[in-house]
Amino acid sequence: MKFAQEFRKALQREGFPQKWVDSAVPYGQLKKCLKKVTNELHELGLDKDTLTQLAASQKDPSTVAFYYHLDGAAANSKLFRPRLTFFVHIQDGVAVDAKLTPSTRDFLEKIASSTGKAQNITADESAQISAQIGPANFTEASGPFSPRHISPSEDEAVSIQRVEVPLVFDSEFFDILQTDVFNLDALQGEEQDKMGKEIMLLGQDINKATKPSKGRKARGDMETWRNIFELYLDARVFFSTRENDHGARTSPQAVKQLNWFQDQVLSRKLAYGLKLESSRKAYTRFLSVNALLLQILKFQEINSLAVTKILKKFDKRTSLGVSRVFPITVKSNHLLAGSVAKDLCAQMSNDLISVVPQLDDYLCPICFTVAYWPVRLDCQHIFCSRCLVKMSRKGESHCPLCRADVVMRASLENFDSKRASFLREYFPKEVKEKVRANERERNKEIFGPDYSDSLCSIM
Ligand SMILES: [Zn+2]
Ligand SMILES: [Zn+2]
C-alpha cells in the first residue's frame, strides 16, 4: 500500500479526535507541491539527474559547487527560507564547468549575468565552500575571490560567482510543512498539558481515598494500589529504564506492555480487590489516561513518519538532501523530538505512583527489609537500628553508603520518629514482620542459637 493511503487509513482507524485529524500532516498536499518543485527545477535544467551528478562531482576541484540551505529565517517569521546557491566558474560570461549540462550552463549564465543575482564571492564564503567541497580548489582565497588554480589554464581570468537560484515552489513546500509541524507541536503540547493535569488530579484523588487514617478499607485499597503500581512499573509501558531495552517504546510495544499489565491485574484480581467506590473509579481513570497516552504516542508516530517520508521523497526527486537537516532546522519540541512518552512517564511516577509509597524506597540498604526502627545518621542516610547495632559491635564506624565516620556518633537523637510513624502507617504489615524478626534475633542472642518462636508457645 502506498504511504499516502496507509497514512489516511491509520488516521481513520485509530479513532483520533477530529481536531487531531484536521491538523495531521497534509501529506497529499505536500506531494502535489513537491511535483511543482520538481517541475520548476526541471525547467531550469536542474532536474534530479543533473543535481545528482553535480553533487557527486563536487569533490572534483574544477567543477561547480552548490548547496541547499534551510536556514536564514525571515525577519518577522519563525519560518525559514530554503535557498539554492550555486558557485559557478565564469569566464567572459561563460560558465566553464565541464560537468554542467548545456541547459544548466545556459541557465546559470543567464542568471549570473543579470545584476544583483550573482556576486563575486567573499573570502568567508570561499572558506565555507572549501570546507564543503575540499580545500584543494581555493588555495589562494583572499579578498574578493579570484583563484588562479581552478581552471585548466592558469592564466585565464576566471572568477567564481555566487548564483542564487530563485525557486518558488520549494518555499511553498516548506511553508506548508513547517506550519504544520508548528501546529502539531502546539497541539501536542496542549494535549500533554491536559494529560499532565489529569495525572496530577488522579494522584491527589487516590492519595485522598487511601489515607491509612481513613480506616480499614482505605488501608486495604492502599495495599492494592501499591500492587497495581508495582505491576505497572514492572510493565514499563511507555518507557524503559532497564539497561537492555532502555528508551521510549514504540506504540506496538506499548500496546503489548499495557496488555500484559492489564492481564496481570485481572489474573490477580487486583481491580476487584479495590473496596472503595472512589478507588474503583480512579482505576478506570488510570486506564483511560494510559489509553489516551497511547493515542498521543500513535498520533505522534504516524505524523513524524509522514514528515520523514515526504522529506525522503523530496530528496529522491530533487537530490537536494534535506531529510537530514530539516528536523534540526525546524526545532520541533514535541513532534519530532519524540519525548512525549518520556515526559509523561516521568510525571506519572512523580505525581501518581509516588502517592502510594513503594516499599523499595524505604528499605534498609544493609538488610533489604523495611528500615524499622529507622535511624538517621548524621550523613542523613537511614538504616534499621538492628543493622547499626551489629555494625557498631563489629567496630565498623563508617556509613556503608557514603563512608562518613558517623556510625559511632549515633545516639537516641538519631532515631527518626517521624519516619517511624510514617512506616507504621503505610507499611503496617512489613513493620510488624520486622519487629517480630528483630525480637527473634535478640532472643537468639540472649537464649542461644537453639531458641525458636515455638519455644514461647510451649512455655
Ligand atoms: Zn537493616
Ligand atoms: Zn551516609
Side-chain angles (χ1 to χ4, degrees):
M1 208 190 323
K2 282 201 162 176
F3 180 75
Q5 224 177 326
E6 232 174 82
F7 184 55
R8 218 176 22 244
K9 282 205 169 141
L11 285 176
Q12 287 164 0
R13 184 183 58 226
E14 299 295 342
F16 297 124
Q18 193 54 43
K19 188 181 167 193
W20 294 16
V21 177
D22 291 344
S23 49
V25 173
Y27 192 82
Q29 194 189 351
L30 285 164
K31 240 174 81 180
K32 269 184 213 144
C33 192
L34 177 55
K35 205 164 198 173
K36 291 192 222 162
V37 178
T38 40
N39 284 344
E40 190 177 25
L41 284 167
H42 190 80
E43 276 164 26
L44 301 177
L46 298 170
D47 55 283
K48 181 199 159 194
D49 292 339
T50 307
L51 286 168
T52 311
Q53 215 179 1
L54 290 177
S57 65
Q58 288 204 12
K59 290 179 194 83
D60 178 350
S62 70
T63 54
V64 71
F66 77 87
Y67 47 80
Y68 192 58
H69 270 307
L70 291 185
D71 54 9
N76 42 19
S77 149
K78 284 194 288 186
L79 303 181
F80 56 73
R81 291 270 158 242
R83 266 185 314 147
L84 177 58
T85 311
F86 278 81
F87 296 89
V88 200
H89 306 153
I90 301 280
Q91 186 190 349
D92 305 329
V94 178
V96 293
D97 302 288
K99 293 276 170 29
L100 292 173
T101 61
S103 62
T104 315
R105 183 176 307 174
D106 230 33
F107 163 69
L108 290 173
E109 275 165 17
K110 228 182 278 161
I111 205 167
S113 64
S114 67
T115 47
K117 296 236 169 84
Q119 297 153 8
N120 280 345
I121 64 169
T122 62
D124 267 2
E125 273 177 322
S126 77
Q128 233 180 330
I129 313 166
S130 305
Q132 247 208 350
I133 63 176
N137 31 343
F138 299 108
T139 45
E140 303 283 298
S142 86
F145 196 61
S146 177
R148 298 207 307 259
H149 296 298
I150 49 172
S151 156
S153 58
E154 289 189 8
D155 301 333
E156 289 171 75
V158 176
S159 75
I160 289 194
Q161 296 210 317
R162 186 182 63 202
V163 178
E164 215 166 277
V165 178
L167 296 172
V168 176
F169 291 114
D170 66 337
S171 294
E172 190 182 314
F173 178 91
F174 284 108
D175 272 359
I176 300 172
L177 189 56
Q178 285 182 90
T179 308
D180 193 67
V181 168
F182 285 135
N183 290 344
L184 277 170
D185 252 21
L187 177 73
Q188 196 152 341
E190 217 175 89
E191 292 297 331
Q192 253 173 268
D193 283 353
K194 257 200 272 178
M195 177 87 99
K197 276 193 198 109
E198 167 64 2
I199 291 175
M200 204 176 66
L201 285 176
L202 189 55
Q204 286 170 359
D205 288 353
I206 295 175
N207 187 28
K208 219 162 45 192
T210 60
K211 274 245 174 323
S213 54
K214 286 208 164 162
R216 203 171 44 82
K217 276 188 184 169
R219 283 196 293 273
D221 276 9
M222 187 188 63
E223 277 296 309
T224 310
W225 273 112
R226 185 175 296 147
N227 293 331
I228 291 173
F229 284 151
E230 232 170 77
L231 276 174
Y232 185 76
L233 289 175
D234 265 0
R236 296 170 176 88
V237 179
F238 295 103
F239 196 86
S240 172
T241 45
R242 261 189 319 213
E243 213 170 291
N244 57 348
D245 60 352
H246 189 274
R249 305 270 198 206
T250 60
S251 64
Q253 286 172 327
V255 169
K256 197 175 138 221
Q257 297 308 107
L258 202 55
N259 283 339
W260 178 85
F261 163 73
Q262 281 179 268
D263 284 349
Q264 291 292 315
V265 170
L266 258 181
S267 69
R268 297 179 196 202
K269 301 192 168 54
L270 289 173
Y272 296 118
L274 291 167
K275 297 277 185 301
L276 300 162
E277 174 73 21
S278 50
S279 279
R280 282 197 295 271
K281 273 194 186 144
Y283 183 68
T284 313
R285 271 166 72 196
F286 179 63
L287 292 184
S288 311
V289 163
N290 278 284
L292 188 55
L293 230 167
L294 194 58
Q295 288 272 70
I296 294 183
L297 182 63
K298 278 183 185 168
F299 189 67
Q300 186 250 329
E301 264 176 12
I302 60 166
N303 277 289
S304 110
L305 181 65
V307 172
T308 311
K309 288 266 184 192
I310 198 69
L311 287 173
K312 277 217 177 113
K313 209 176 262 289
F314 188 96
D315 281 350
K316 213 170 131 196
R317 301 259 167 94
T318 65
S319 263
L320 287 174
V322 290
S323 53
R324 201 179 45 81
V325 285
F326 178 83
I328 306 164
T329 317
V330 76
K331 293 191 185 71
S332 150
N333 292 326
H334 299 285
L335 180 76
L336 303 178
S339 60
V340 52
K342 195 178 173 183
D343 294 351
L344 288 172
C345 281
Q347 210 197 342
M348 199 98 97
S349 53
N350 286 338
D351 293 347
L352 186 58
I353 292 169
S354 67
V355 302
V356 179
Q358 297 286 320
L359 185 61
D360 275 2
D361 299 330
Y362 300 95
L363 295 179
C364 165
I366 299 176
C367 61
F368 294 111
T369 60
V370 64
Y372 194 85
W373 302 82
V375 177
R376 188 186 291 271
L377 294 175
D378 291 351
C379 59
Q380 299 305 312
H381 289 123
I382 299 178
F383 300 89
C384 76
S385 56
R386 195 83 201 136
C387 286
L388 285 176
V389 167
K390 284 189 218 167
M391 274 187 75
S392 58
R393 274 188 201 153
K394 283 191 225 158
E396 289 167 15
S397 58
H398 296 95
C399 166
L401 292 183
C402 68
R403 307 309 301 159
D405 190 2
V406 287
V407 174
M408 295 306 182
R409 292 215 306 263
S411 66
L412 263 183
E413 307 260 290
N414 293 78
F415 173 63
D416 191 334
S417 58
K418 227 167 134 189
R419 171 67 70 104
S421 61
F422 171 87
L423 293 175
R424 278 196 302 271
E425 190 174 9
Y426 281 91
F427 300 98
K429 244 179 27 203
E430 288 80 1
V431 165
K432 233 181 245 166
E433 171 55 31
K434 183 67 179 271
V435 170
R436 234 179 273 141
N438 282 350
E439 265 168 27
R440 265 199 306 273
E441 241 183 275
R442 218 186 31 236
N443 286 337
K444 268 184 190 164
E445 283 165 16
I446 299 172
F447 301 113
D450 292 337
Y451 173 83
S452 76
D453 282 353
S454 57
L455 280 177
C456 298
S457 56
I458 293 168
M459 280 156 70

